[in-house]
Amino acid sequence: MIVTTSIGLAYCNSSRLSAEELIQHADLAMYQAKSAGRSNYRVFSEEMLHQANNRLMIEQSIGSAINEEQLVLFLQPIVELPSGRLRGFEALIRWFHPERGLIMPGDFIPDIENSEAIIEVGNYVIRKASELIARLNSAGWDDLYIAVNLSAKHFLAADLLTVVRQEVEAQQISARSLVLEVTEESVIEQVEQAMAAMVSLKALGVRIAIDDFGTGYSSLSYLKQLAFDLLKIDRCFSANVLDGEADTHIITTVLELAHNLGREVVAEGIETQQQAECLSCQRCELGQGYYFSRPLDVASVFVVLQEIAETRLWPISQAPQPKLVRQGS
């Protein structure tokens, strides 16, 4: 029997520190040690206390954020390579807190990733994305899709299919217009459950994307078994596609594999014209990144859509910069 040990240490540097507080500090350090992979130790710091307080604030405030619609979707375009024709958007969440101002997803999503709150946030995003798809349809853009990122916990939740079905029916939209993105790593961790979830969602008509592909492990052995539609190459490969043979070879291999399986590929993190052209030459169908546009608020997106209604081509050089101001303010 192999027993691992995670140790949290706290020093008493003040006579005003109570025994209870000292134990709490050591406890925080111990959880940090567990989060770092177990079988190690961590020493308490004030930063740990700040992070714990921040996490508590987020957990207590996220319900109000949902009810008061403080969470706002920004959209980043996904375009065809090399034509530049708009194919869809990825929905990215922003939290406009009434007291703390703008909170980016990286500053609150990790704190709720393993709690029920991540499912509440995910369902909120699915609802808002479905409403946006209905607006796009009304504006004559019924060929576009919106992709929503889901945590592993949410993707494997028992009621996800019911939630998606309700939103699709409520907005009277095609389920095909909704793409659910799940990371490669989360799929591989519980592959049988993930496969079952994919099959049920695809039966409804929803499409599935494997996000951040190339950053996980044991992927190729499972890839052909997964009922996905889109493969998203992680930005760490796209960004270096011009710098070395290794990343170029990886992308070429992934593209060949995906095409042999009948799937489309989206290259994330494209920042230059040269990267876009290189990926296009390798027969990558779709691209996404700052070269095309940073994430935009919904109002700005509809302004652009009105301007390109005839050509359907996303205006790379004319794309407006995002306004980090809540809609209506």
Side-chain angles (χ1 to χ4, degrees):
M1 179 178 293
I2 299 174
V3 179
T4 61
T5 304
S6 299
I7 302 173
L9 304 175
Y11 293 96
C12 184
N13 297 319
S14 171
S15 59
R16 292 176 294 180
L17 190 67
S18 68
E20 290 77 10
E21 289 176 309
L22 189 62
I23 292 173
Q24 288 174 357
H25 292 175
D27 210 32
L28 278 174
M30 181 193 67
Y31 281 111
Q32 287 284 329
K34 285 184 175 182
S35 299
R38 302 176 183 272
S39 284
N40 55 40
Y41 70 92
R42 288 291 184 271
V43 180
F44 171 79
S45 67
E46 290 297 327
E47 178 62 22
M48 290 183 187
L49 187 60
H50 172 74
Q51 291 175 356
N53 290 335
N54 186 64
R55 183 162 54 250
L56 181 62
M57 182 282 296
I58 289 171
E59 291 176 352
Q60 293 175 339
S61 303
I62 201 70
S64 298
I66 293 173
N67 294 332
E68 298 172 12
E69 298 194 349
Q70 297 170 12
L71 303 178
V72 178
L73 295 191
F74 274 53
L75 303 177
Q76 187 171 36
I78 299 170
V79 305
E80 287 183 353
L81 299 176
S83 69
R85 183 181 177 87
L86 182 63
R87 285 282 296 275
F89 297 95
E90 180 177 354
L92 302 166
I93 198 167
R94 303 287 185 265
W95 184 358
F96 290 89
H97 194 280
E99 297 174 358
R100 300 181 61 187
L102 173 66
I103 305 177
M104 298 298 283
D107 294 326
F108 72 92
I109 293 296
D111 290 325
I112 61 172
E113 204 157 18
N114 296 314
S115 69
E116 293 300 313
I118 195 67
I119 296 179
E120 296 176 23
V121 171
N123 288 340
Y124 174 88
V125 174
I126 290 173
R127 173 160 56 87
K128 288 298 180 182
S130 299
E131 292 174 359
L132 277 174
I133 291 170
R135 285 185 61 186
L136 289 169
N137 291 350
S138 299
W141 292 87
D142 55 0
D143 56 338
L144 299 182
Y145 71 82
I146 292 184
V148 173
N149 291 282
L150 295 186
S151 68
K153 184 179 181 68
H154 193 189
F155 189 72
L156 300 177
D159 64 343
L160 175 61
L161 181 65
T162 301
V163 170
V164 173
R165 181 186 290 112
Q166 288 175 345
E167 297 301 337
V168 166
E169 292 176 353
Q171 299 300 326
Q172 298 182 334
I173 60 176
S174 169
R176 184 174 174 78
S177 300
L178 185 64
V179 173
L180 300 182
E181 294 188 4
V182 61
T183 64
E184 171 197 3
E185 185 176 359
S186 63
V187 168
I188 298 304
E189 285 179 353
Q190 302 184 64
V191 66
E192 292 185 2
Q193 289 178 263
M195 288 169 61
M198 286 182 179
V199 169
S200 61
L201 287 165
K202 283 183 64 63
L204 183 63
V206 174
R207 291 186 290 166
I208 308 294
I210 303 296
D211 196 14
D212 297 339
F213 186 79
T215 59
Y217 53 89
S218 302
S219 310
L220 301 183
S221 61
Y222 292 112
L223 200 59
K224 64 181 181 181
Q225 303 177 45
L226 299 176
F228 68 95
D229 302 274
L230 296 167
L231 193 65
K232 302 193 75 173
I233 299 177
D234 188 74
R235 65 183 65 249
C236 67
F237 298 111
S238 302
N240 299 320
V241 69
L242 301 174
D243 300 333
E245 294 183 4
D247 287 325
T248 302
H249 184 65
I250 290 172
I251 290 176
T252 302
T253 302
V254 171
L255 284 165
E256 290 179 356
L257 178 64
H259 292 160
N260 288 336
L261 294 172
R263 271 68 163 186
E264 284 189 318
V265 179
V266 183
E268 299 180 289
I270 298 176
E271 297 186 354
T272 67
Q273 181 179 352
Q274 291 77 13
Q275 291 171 350
E277 291 174 349
C278 181
L279 288 160
S280 176
C281 289
Q282 295 184 56
R283 298 192 301 121
C284 181
E285 292 91 345
L286 304 172
Q288 175 184 355
Y290 285 2
Y291 170 62
F292 304 105
S293 175
R294 293 175 178 269
L296 302 171
D297 63 85
V298 172
S300 296
V301 166
F302 275 89
V303 169
V304 177
L305 293 181
Q306 190 172 13
E307 294 173 352
I308 65 171
E310 293 186 8
T311 66
R312 280 345 208 206
L313 301 180
W314 185 264
I316 296 171
S317 59
Q318 292 82 21
Q321 293 300 306
K323 302 174 183 177
L324 294 180
V325 178
R326 184 174 180 179
Q327 298 172 37
S329 61

